[in-house]
Amino acid sequence: MSQAPQPSSAMQPVLRVIGLPHLGIGPKIAALVLALIVAATILAPWLAPHDPLTMDPLVRLKGPMEGHPLGTDNYGRDILSRVLIGGRLSLVIGIAAAVVSVILGLVIGMIAGFFHTADAIIMRMMDALMAIPAILLAIALVALNGPSVGSVIAAITIPEIPRVVRLVRAVVLGAREEPYVEAAIALGSSTFKILTRHLLPNTLAPLIVQGTYILASAILTEAILSFLGAGVSTETPTWGNIMAEGRQFFRIKPDLILYPGVMLSLCILSINLLGDAARDMLDPRLKKRAG
Amino acid sequence: MRFKTRNFDTSSVALSTEDLSVHLPDTPGQPQVLKQIDVTIRQGETVCLVGESGSGKSVTSLAIMGLLPEALKVTEGRINLQDRDLLPLSRAQMRELRAARIAMIFQEPMTALNPVLRVGGQIMEVMELHTQLPAAERRARAISIMEQVHLPDVERVFRSYPHQLSGGQRQRIMIAMALVLEPVLLIADEPTTALDVTTQQQILSLIEELQANHGTAVLFITHDMGVVAEIADTVYVMKHGEIVEHGPVEHVLRQPQADYTRDLLASVPSLSPRPARPEGDEIVLKVEALNKIYGGGGILKKLPQTHAAKEVSFTLTRGRTLGIVGESGSGKSTVARCIMRLIDPTSGRIMLDGQDIAGLSRNALRPHRKKLQVVFQDPMRSLNPRWTIAESLIEGPLNYGTPRSEAMAEAARMLTVVGLPENALKRYPHQFSGGQRQRIAIARAVMMRPDVLVADEAVSALDVSVQAQVLKLLEQLQDELGIAIVFITHDLRVAAQICDEVIVMQRGAVVEHGTAAEVLVSPAHAYTRSLIEAAPGRMWDFQNFKEMPEVTHANPS
Amino acid sequence: MLGYILRRILAVIPVMLLVAVFVFLLLRLTPGDPAAIIAGDMATPAQLERIREAMGLNQPLHVQFFTWVGQLLRGDLGTSLISSTPVAGMIADRMGPTLAIALLTILMSVALAIPMGVIAAWKHRSGADYAVMTFSVLGFSVPVFVIGYVFILLFSLKLGWFPVQGYTPISEGLVAFLKNAFLPALTLTTIYVALIARMTRANMLEVLGEDYIRTARAKGAPEHRVLFRHALRNAAVPILTVIGTGFALLIGGVVVTETVFNIPGIGRLTVDAILARDYPVIQAMILLTSFLYVLVNLIIDLSYTFFDPRIRY
C-alpha cells in the first residue's frame, strides 16, 4: 500500500501549525491559554493594579484583600502585579534563547551534516558540550558574566545548541542520500543551492517542533537560574525571582511560590502541548502505524 | 511450457472465502477495499492471487489471518477454514489457529525476523506457543524442519541471529517457522519479490517440495506472471479489490477472458531480445578499467575491503542502450554511481565525449554534468516533495544559465512529450502516481539534452503495465534525441526489451559482454545461463498467450 | 567485541579532553580579570595578586592548562578559595546523599516509566495512553522546585507523612533514610519518569509497526509476549540512550532538589560554590559531573551489545 502524501510545499507545515486545523481539543486549549498568558504579560503595565516595585510596609505578607487580589509579599508589594510583569522578562528571555540556539544550531548542523571534513570535529565538540550538565554550565556562565539579561540568554542558549546541531545533522545526513538530492547534483546544482533549497526545507518541520520544546525548556531554565540565585538581577521581577524570594516564607505563605509557579507551569505546559501537536502533524512515521 | 494440470475436484476444501468484503470505516465515504471476494483453496493445491499494487491481494491475505490493520474492517462474508467460519472467532481462538492451522510468510525476509533473537529460538517459539512438547523435542523438531528447508550447517544457523544470514536463508527460516506445525494452509505474500532471481527459483521449488510432502494448501500472492506460470494450479486475477477472472493456470494464460487479464499479460516483457540497433561511430561514453574498492580503513583494525567494481570497461555510442544486469551485490549500481560521479572511482577512466571525468573535482565536473543525467529507481523519492513539478524541471537549465521564461516554456513542452498534461507544472509530486513521477524524472533529465542517460533500475518499482509504458517512452526519446542509455537492471525481461548490448556482472566483475541477442539467447558464461534459467515463466510468451518459439532458447550446453 | 569495547572507551578520551578545555576556558575567556571575578568587587590589589599567584594566572594559557590537567590526572582537584580545604575531600564528604537519592530516583523511574510507556504504546490513543502522555507532559512542564514545594506542602505540611526538609544517611537506618530521601527522590522521579515513559512509548510505537511484530502475531503469540519479548527488547537501545542522556537532566534536578529539601549533597555544594565564586570547586564539580555523564553513557553504550546482537563492530 502506498504511503500517505507528503506535505507539498515548504510553507505548508508552517501554515498547518499556525492554522491549527484538525486538532484535538487539547492543543486548542493550550493555544488559548498561551495566548491569554502572552496577552496578559504584554498588557501587564495596564492590567496590573499596582507598581510591582512599590513597597508598602503596612501590608506585608497579606492574603487576598481589597486592592491586592492575590495578596502581598514580604515587602508589601502586590503579588498579582509582580506575577503579571514578571512574565514579560521570562518570556523574552525564553524566546530569545530559543531563536538564537535554533539559528546557531541550524548553521552548525548543516555544516556538520554536509561536509565530512568538519563533521568529526564539530560533533566531538558537541559531545563535550552535551556532557556538561546544562544547569551547571548555565549557572557558572551567569555567575562569571554577571546577572545581565544578555548573559542569562547566552547561558541558556549554549547548552541547547548541541541538541539542535544533532537534530539538523541527522536530517541533513538522511536527506542527502535522497535520490532527488543526488539528481540535483547530477543537474549541476551548486553546493549552496543544494544546502539551501533541497536540504534546509527538510529541517524546517523538525526544527519547529524542537524550537517549541527549546522555548519551553528555556523558560524553565530561566526560572531555575533565578531560583538558585544565578538569574537576572533580583531587583527585576521575573517568575523565577519572585519564587526565589518566596523560598524563605514558604511555610507561612506558599502563595509566593505557587502563583508564579502556576503561571510558569501553565505557560510551559501550553508550549509543550503545542509542540506535541506540531510533531504529531509533521511526523509522518506516527501516522503509518498499523495494529 | 509445462503447466500444472493436477485436478483437485476430489480434494477437500482447505479454505474458502465467501463474499468477503473489507471497508475503511473511518475514512470519509467508507471506501471498499475488497468487494465480495470468493476464493477456494483445496488440500495440496497452489492458488495464485495475482494483481498490481492496490489490487487488494495483500489485504485478502491479512483478512484471512485476522491481522488486518486497525483501520480496515471486514464488513461482510465468511472465511471458512475447513468448514469453520473464522470471522466470529475471538482473538484468543484466532491466535490458536495462527501458525498451527494457517501460517504465513512475508515479502521482506530482511525485516520479518526479530533481529535480537536467535533464529532457532524463533522457530521453537511456535512450538512453545502451540504445543506441550518438551524442550528437547522442540529443539529436535526445529532442527529437523531446518534440514527440510535445506539450510546448510543447521547447528550453526540454529544459533545465528538473522543479520548473520542471507536473504534467501532468512526466507527459509520463515518457511521452516511456518511449516513446523504442519498447517492446513500456507499463505505466501510475495515471498520471493525481494530476492534475487536464482534465490527465488530455489525458494519456489522448496515451497513446492514441502507442499508435496505435507499436502499443504498454498495461497500464493504475487504480481509476477512468470511466477504464476511456474507454480500455480489455479489463478485468481485481482483488480481494485475485485476478482476479475479465475481459472486453471493454463486456461488463464492461454485464453484470458477479461480485458484486464489480457492487458496485464500483454505488458509482461518478452525474454526474447529485440534486434540490436547498428553501432554508430560517435562514442559518447567510454569506461576503461574502472575499479571501486570500499573499506580498508579503520584505526585499530583494518576493515575488510570490498571490491565493488573490478576492471569494468565498455564503450557506448550515440543512441544505443547498454544494459548492465546482475543480482544484488553484483556491482552494477556501483558502476552507475561511479559514472555519475556520485561516488569517486578508485581507479580507471570515464571518458565522456572524449574528456576523462573520473578524477575531476566537484567544480571542474560541473560543465560536464549537463551531458550526463540520471533516473533513479524509487519514484516516490526522486522528486523533491516540496517543489512544484515546474521547479524540479527547470532546476538544471537554470543552473546552466538558461533564462527562466525559456526554461519554463521548455518544461511545458517536455511534459507533453512525456505524456503529462501541461497543468501538471504547478502541481506537487504527491499528486501523481509512481509511473507519472518516473515520467517527470525522465523529463527532468532530458531537459538537459544529455548525451548519456543512466537509468538505475528505473522501472523496477513500477507495475508491469506502467513499466511497459515507461520503457516505450525511453525508447521514443532515444530515437528522437539520440541519447545513449546505460540501463541498470536485475530483470532480464526488461533488459531484453530495451538493450542493444548487455553486460552481465557478478561480484563486481564483468562475466559476459555482448549484444542482447548473444548474451540472452546463447550465453557463454555459466552464471548468465543460471540467471536465464532461473527467470520464471521463461518458456511462455505471455504477450501472445502461447509457448515461446523453441529457437530463442536453444540451450548451448 | 573486545575491539568494540576498547574503541568506545578510547572515544571517551577526546570528549573528556574537550570538556576540560571548555571548563578551563570558561573562566579565562570571561571578559575581565579572572582574579577580579573570583575575588569580587571589594578585593584589594594585594588580594588579587595572591589569587593570581595561587591559581597560576600569571603564566601563559597553555602552561596553565597543562599544569591543571596534570594535577587532575594525579587526583588533585585543587583547593577551595573559601575554606582552603582540598576540593576532592569536600566532594567526597558530600557525595553520599546525592548518590543515594540519584540511585533511588533511577530505580523508581525505570520501574514506573517502562511499564507506563509500554502500555501507552500498546493501547495507542486510549485513555491509558492519554493519561501517560498527560502525566509526562506535566512532568516536563512543571519546574522541579515547584513540584518539590507542592510535595512538601501536601505530604509534609498537610498530611505530616514526611519531615519537611533535611537528610539522614543510610548508616543511621534505612527507614530514617527513606523518610527523608523519599520526597526528594519522588520529586526527581516525576521528571525522569516523564522523559523515559515518553521515549519508551515513542520507540515502542515505532517497533510495533515493524514486520517482525506482524510475524510474531502471525505465529499466534499472545499480546504480552509480543510486547515484552519481541518489541521491548528491540526498543531497548533507544530507551537506554535516553536514560543516559537524561542523566544530565537528573544532575540538574539534583542541584535544584537539594536546595529545596536542604540536603547537604554535591548539588548544594555546587550552588554555594558558584554563588561564592569558589572557582576551583566550580571547575571540579563541572568536570566531575561531566565525567559521570560520560561514564554513565559509556556503560550504556557497552550494554547495547547485550540487547542488540547487531552492535558488534
Side-chain angles (χ1 to χ4, degrees):
Chain A
M1 272 182 287
S2 71
Q3 201 57 68
Q6 299 294 306
S8 53
S9 77
M11 273 315 284
Q12 201 171 326
V14 187
L15 293 176
R16 275 159 65 188
V17 178
I18 296 167
L20 298 170
H22 341 287
L23 278 181
I25 188 80
K28 283 183 182 154
I29 294 175
L32 189 69
V33 169
L34 188 63
L36 282 175
I37 293 175
V38 171
T41 51
I42 290 175
L43 299 175
W46 295 276
L47 290 178
H50 295 271
D51 182 292
L53 301 177
T54 307
M55 305 183 194
D56 184 352
L58 296 177
V59 287
R60 293 176 55 201
L61 292 169
K62 287 285 189 287
M65 57 184 279
E66 182 82 42
H68 297 290
L70 298 181
T72 57
D73 70 2
N74 52 315
Y75 294 110
R77 293 174 297 197
D78 182 52
I79 296 180
L80 176 63
S81 308
R82 286 179 69 74
V83 169
L84 285 174
I85 298 276
R88 298 188 125 194
L89 199 53
S90 298
L91 286 175
V92 166
I93 290 175
I95 292 169
V99 168
V100 176
S101 57
V102 164
I103 291 174
L104 286 179
L106 176 64
V107 173
I108 302 174
M110 298 254 308
I111 293 172
F114 200 79
F115 299 102
H116 281 301
T117 39
D119 188 35
I121 301 164
I122 290 178
M123 291 324 286
R124 286 299 79 68
M125 289 177 69
M126 293 302 133
D127 284 348
L129 212 47
M130 287 272 281
I132 305 174
I135 298 280
L136 288 190
L137 181 56
I139 37 182
L141 281 168
V142 178
L144 294 169
N145 288 307
S148 69
V149 174
S151 74
V152 170
I153 293 174
I156 298 172
T157 303
I158 291 171
E160 294 286 358
I161 290 175
R163 288 206 267 163
V164 185
V165 170
R166 284 189 164 197
L167 174 78
V168 171
R169 172 178 177 269
V171 172
V172 169
L173 279 180
R176 62 176 290 176
E177 303 286 313
E178 288 290 320
Y180 67 81
V181 174
E182 298 199 320
I185 296 173
L187 291 167
S189 294
S190 63
T191 303
F192 182 75
K193 185 171 177 182
I194 288 171
L195 276 172
T196 52
R197 302 254 2 246
H198 286 287
L199 299 178
L200 184 67
N202 279 299
T203 64
L204 204 66
L207 271 185
I208 290 171
V209 177
Q210 185 78 0
T212 40
Y213 292 147
I214 291 180
L215 175 59
S217 127
I219 296 174
L220 196 61
T221 311
E222 188 278 326
I224 290 174
L225 289 182
S226 300
F227 180 79
L228 293 174
V232 290
S233 155
T234 43
E235 282 121 55
T236 325
T238 68
W239 287 333
N241 273 341
I242 301 172
M243 288 187 275
E245 286 190 340
R247 257 165 65 191
Q248 40 185 320
F249 306 101
F250 177 68
R251 288 187 190 212
I252 43 172
K253 192 163 172 56
D255 301 13
L256 282 176
I257 287 182
L258 291 187
Y259 287 126
V262 166
M263 281 293 273
L264 179 65
S265 306
L266 274 179
C267 179
I268 299 171
L269 182 65
S270 318
I271 297 171
N272 274 330
L273 283 174
L274 289 177
D276 283 357
R279 186 208 48 202
D280 288 349
M281 273 193 302
L282 299 173
D283 187 350
R285 281 179 313 171
L286 288 172
K287 289 184 192 151
K288 78 169 182 195
R289 181 181 122 85
Chain B
M1 180 88 208
R2 279 220 316 279
F3 291 109
K4 289 187 182 168
T5 50
R6 302 179 290 183
N7 188 311
F8 292 92
D9 290 348
T10 55
S11 311
S12 62
V13 174
L15 180 113
S16 66
T17 67
E18 294 167 25
D19 290 338
L20 181 64
S21 296
V22 170
H23 283 80
L24 275 162
D26 297 331
T27 308
Q30 304 196 347
Q32 201 169 0
V33 180
L34 290 186
K35 297 168 196 158
Q36 273 109 29
I37 301 294
D38 291 309
V39 175
T40 303
I41 309 154
R42 292 172 185 276
Q43 217 55 60
E45 185 184 24
T46 300
V47 170
C48 274
L49 212 51
V50 65
E52 297 189 296
S53 49
S55 62
K57 52 193 196 301
S58 284
V59 174
T60 309
S61 68
L62 292 174
I64 295 170
M65 285 296 283
L67 289 175
L68 281 179
E70 272 163 19
L72 294 170
K73 292 276 174 297
V74 175
T75 43
E76 204 193 323
R78 289 168 63 89
I79 298 170
N80 301 315
L81 182 73
Q82 296 180 317
D83 293 331
R84 181 185 185 190
D85 188 359
L86 300 183
L87 289 176
L89 296 188
S90 71
R91 279 165 186 256
Q93 286 172 312
M94 268 317 281
R95 263 205 304 273
E96 277 171 30
L97 289 180
R98 286 185 205 132
R101 312 294 300 282
I102 322 175
M104 187 161 180
I105 54 177
F106 302 96
Q107 172 169 357
E108 270 298 336
M110 304 317 257
T111 54
L113 289 167
N114 192 328
V116 303
L117 301 176
R118 294 179 199 275
V119 295
Q122 296 191 50
I123 296 176
M124 291 201 295
E125 185 183 20
V126 179
M127 290 175 272
E128 274 169 60
L129 290 167
H130 297 282
T131 70
Q132 309 293 325
L133 294 173
E137 178 67 9
R138 290 202 297 264
R139 188 172 199 282
R141 285 225 196 164
I143 296 282
S144 149
I145 190 82
M146 285 171 75
E147 275 161 0
Q148 287 182 55
V149 298
H150 308 305
L151 279 161
D153 198 357
V154 169
E155 288 289 340
R156 181 185 58 80
V157 172
F158 186 88
R159 289 189 310 272
S160 300
Y161 289 100
H163 72 276
Q164 295 164 322
L165 306 176
S166 70
Q169 287 173 330
R170 292 188 213 186
Q171 200 60 299
R172 284 171 198 270
I173 296 286
M174 284 298 292
I175 294 171
M177 211 152 75
L179 295 183
V180 68
L181 294 180
E182 309 223 337
V184 178
L185 174 70
L186 173 69
I187 302 176
D189 187 356
E190 305 260 11
T192 59
T193 306
L195 302 175
D196 281 326
V197 56
T198 44
T199 317
Q200 161 169 284
Q201 189 190 33
Q202 293 161 8
I203 295 291
L204 291 179
S205 53
L206 173 67
I207 292 175
E208 190 158 2
E209 177 191 330
L210 293 170
Q211 181 184 31
N213 294 347
H214 299 271
T216 321
V218 175
L219 177 62
F220 197 104
I221 288 153
T222 183
H223 68 284
D224 187 337
M225 279 297 178
V227 170
V228 172
E230 294 285 339
I231 66 159
D233 294 299
T234 310
V235 182
Y236 288 77
V237 182
M238 284 189 80
K239 182 198 181 187
H240 300 324
E242 277 179 290
I243 290 178
V244 296
E245 178 165 8
H246 72 101
V249 58
E250 182 158 10
H251 195 82
V252 171
L253 293 186
R254 221 180 260 285
Q255 290 133 0
Q257 301 300 308
D259 290 343
Y260 179 70
T261 316
R262 200 181 296 274
D263 292 346
L264 201 58
L265 290 170
S267 308
V268 179
S270 166
L271 250 182
S272 64
R274 66 123 200 258
R277 288 167 290 198
E279 195 167 356
D281 17 270
E282 189 190 346
I283 294 174
V284 285
L285 179 69
K286 187 178 175 73
V287 172
E288 290 173 11
L290 182 76
N291 282 287
K292 175 69 191 177
I293 300 169
Y294 283 109
I299 303 162
L300 284 176
K301 143 179 116 178
K302 205 147 170 69
L303 295 171
Q305 285 193 348
T306 318
H307 210 145
K310 279 181 221 164
E311 298 290 313
V312 176
S313 302
F314 59 83
T315 52
L316 185 59
T317 58
R318 183 167 292 284
R320 293 251 295 183
T321 301
L322 170 87
I324 304 183
V325 301
E327 297 186 295
S328 52
S330 62
K332 57 189 191 304
S333 281
T334 304
V335 172
R337 296 172 67 78
C338 280
I339 296 171
M340 289 308 303
R341 282 296 311 278
L342 291 171
I343 49 178
D344 296 330
T346 309
S347 68
R349 302 212 296 168
I350 300 164
M351 310 291 291
L352 182 66
D353 290 333
Q355 158 82 42
D356 184 6
I357 62 163
L360 291 185
S361 72
R362 242 188 126 85
N363 280 329
L365 198 57
R366 194 160 295 140
H368 302 281
R369 288 258 188 230
K370 210 167 147 35
K371 301 179 212 157
L372 187 60
Q373 287 302 308
V374 65
V375 179
F376 292 104
Q377 171 171 7
D378 190 345
M380 302 299 165
R381 292 162 57 200
S382 53
L383 298 168
N384 188 331
R386 293 183 179 81
W387 285 18
T388 61
I389 302 309
E391 284 176 284
S392 283
L393 288 178
I394 64 173
E395 182 179 11
L398 291 190
N399 288 339
Y400 291 95
T402 310
R404 201 180 171 86
S405 56
E406 212 171 287
M408 282 300 272
E410 174 63 8
R413 199 188 71 79
M414 206 60 227
L415 265 190
T416 53
V417 171
V418 299
L420 284 169
E422 215 172 289
N423 67 16
L425 279 178
K426 290 194 187 65
R427 288 153 70 187
Y428 289 92
H430 75 265
Q431 295 167 291
F432 297 92
S433 69
Q436 287 172 322
R437 287 190 221 188
Q438 213 59 331
R439 287 167 185 274
I440 296 165
I442 291 170
R444 177 180 59 187
V446 173
M447 287 283 287
M448 306 292 279
R449 293 288 176 274
D451 292 326
V452 177
L453 180 67
V454 177
D456 190 355
E457 298 277 12
V459 297
S460 301
L462 307 175
D463 281 325
V464 277
S465 55
V466 182
Q467 197 175 51
Q469 295 161 9
V470 172
L471 287 176
K472 199 177 283 173
L473 171 66
L474 278 176
E475 188 137 31
Q476 172 204 334
L477 287 170
Q478 188 169 34
D479 287 345
E480 282 168 22
L481 303 169
I483 304 172
I485 299 181
V486 178
F487 198 95
I488 315 291
T489 183
H490 70 284
D491 188 337
L492 292 178
R493 292 180 181 274
V494 169
Q497 285 317 294
I498 191 161
C499 300
D500 300 298
E501 235 175 280
V502 171
I503 283 178
V504 180
M505 287 186 72
Q506 184 192 21
R507 282 185 232 110
V510 174
V511 297
E512 188 153 3
H513 182 182
T515 64
E518 287 164 3
V519 174
L520 297 177
V521 178
S522 40
H525 196 276
Y527 177 69
T528 316
R529 273 204 294 280
S530 69
L531 280 184
I532 293 171
E533 274 158 24
R538 68 195 177 93
M539 310 297 262
W540 189 252
D541 184 354
F542 292 90
Q543 296 177 334
N544 299 307
F545 318 114
K546 59 176 205 236
E547 279 82 1
M548 277 295 222
E550 264 311 304
V551 55
T552 47
H553 276 273
N555 206 348
S557 59
Chain C
M1 185 70 184
L2 211 66
Y4 172 77
I5 294 173
L6 208 60
R7 260 191 302 276
R8 301 303 318 174
I9 293 174
L10 284 180
V12 164
I13 295 173
V15 172
M16 276 319 296
L17 206 63
L18 275 168
V19 170
V21 172
F22 285 154
V23 172
F24 177 79
L25 291 179
L26 201 60
L27 180 69
R28 272 68 178 187
L29 291 189
T30 307
D33 179 2
I37 290 173
I38 292 165
D41 305 332
M42 309 301 210
T44 62
Q47 279 174 315
L48 289 181
E49 190 50 40
R50 195 169 55 81
I51 291 171
R52 285 198 197 100
E53 199 62 41
M55 293 190 64
L57 291 174
N58 293 329
Q59 288 168 308
L61 268 186
H62 65 275
V63 176
Q64 290 182 36
F65 180 72
F66 287 112
T67 317
W68 177 58
V69 170
Q71 286 170 347
L72 286 178
L73 290 178
R74 287 194 303 274
D76 176 6
L77 296 180
T79 308
S80 162
L81 295 178
I82 309 290
S83 67
S84 301
T85 48
V87 177
M90 293 169 75
I91 291 174
D93 289 345
R94 302 280 204 105
M95 204 64 178
T98 306
L99 272 185
I101 288 175
L103 279 177
L104 193 59
T105 301
I106 292 176
L107 282 179
M108 297 203 304
S109 305
V110 172
L112 279 171
I114 290 185
M116 279 168 69
V118 169
I119 289 169
W122 180 43
K123 293 289 175 198
H124 187 41
R125 293 186 211 285
S126 71
D129 184 15
Y130 289 119
V132 170
M133 286 307 279
T134 308
F135 175 84
S136 108
V137 75
L138 273 174
F140 274 126
S141 304
V142 184
V144 59
F145 53 88
V146 174
I147 299 177
Y149 279 119
V150 168
F151 282 174
I152 294 180
L153 201 61
L154 209 66
F155 297 116
S156 302
L157 295 177
K158 284 254 154 56
L159 297 169
W161 292 353
F162 299 99
V164 177
Q165 284 171 326
Y167 180 76
T168 317
I170 306 185
S171 51
E172 290 176 28
L174 189 66
V175 177
F177 162 74
L178 280 179
K179 267 204 146 181
N180 271 304
F182 183 73
L183 273 194
L186 189 67
T187 307
L188 283 172
T189 300
T190 324
I191 46 171
Y192 217 36
V193 163
L195 180 75
I196 302 171
R198 199 180 157 96
M199 280 309 288
T200 305
R201 173 184 177 273
N203 287 296
M204 283 292 287
L205 272 181
E206 196 155 306
V207 168
L208 285 175
E210 295 285 345
D211 285 355
Y212 52 79
I213 295 300
R214 187 182 54 185
T215 306
R217 294 202 166 113
K219 281 187 198 175
E223 284 300 294
H224 65 87
R225 197 180 171 100
V226 171
L227 287 175
F228 289 98
R229 185 176 161 87
H230 289 279
L232 188 57
R233 220 178 136 185
N234 277 285
V237 166
I239 294 172
L240 279 171
T241 310
V242 82
I243 293 176
T245 49
F247 188 72
L249 197 73
L250 185 65
I251 294 173
V254 165
V255 172
V256 180
T257 316
E258 288 185 355
T259 305
V260 172
F261 287 90
N262 209 4
I263 294 165
I266 54 172
R268 194 61 240 164
L269 175 70
T270 314
V271 175
D272 291 343
I274 286 173
L275 297 182
R277 293 177 175 157
D278 192 347
Y279 206 75
V281 180
I282 300 176
Q283 269 188 338
M285 280 313 304
I286 293 182
L287 260 184
L288 184 76
T289 47
S290 308
F291 181 67
L292 273 177
Y293 174 89
V294 170
L295 193 70
V296 165
N297 281 284
L298 173 68
I299 293 167
I300 284 177
D301 261 18
L302 296 180
S303 76
Y304 290 165
T305 54
F306 174 75
F307 289 98
D308 192 335
R310 286 167 296 183
I311 301 175
R312 230 162 251 191
Y313 39 82

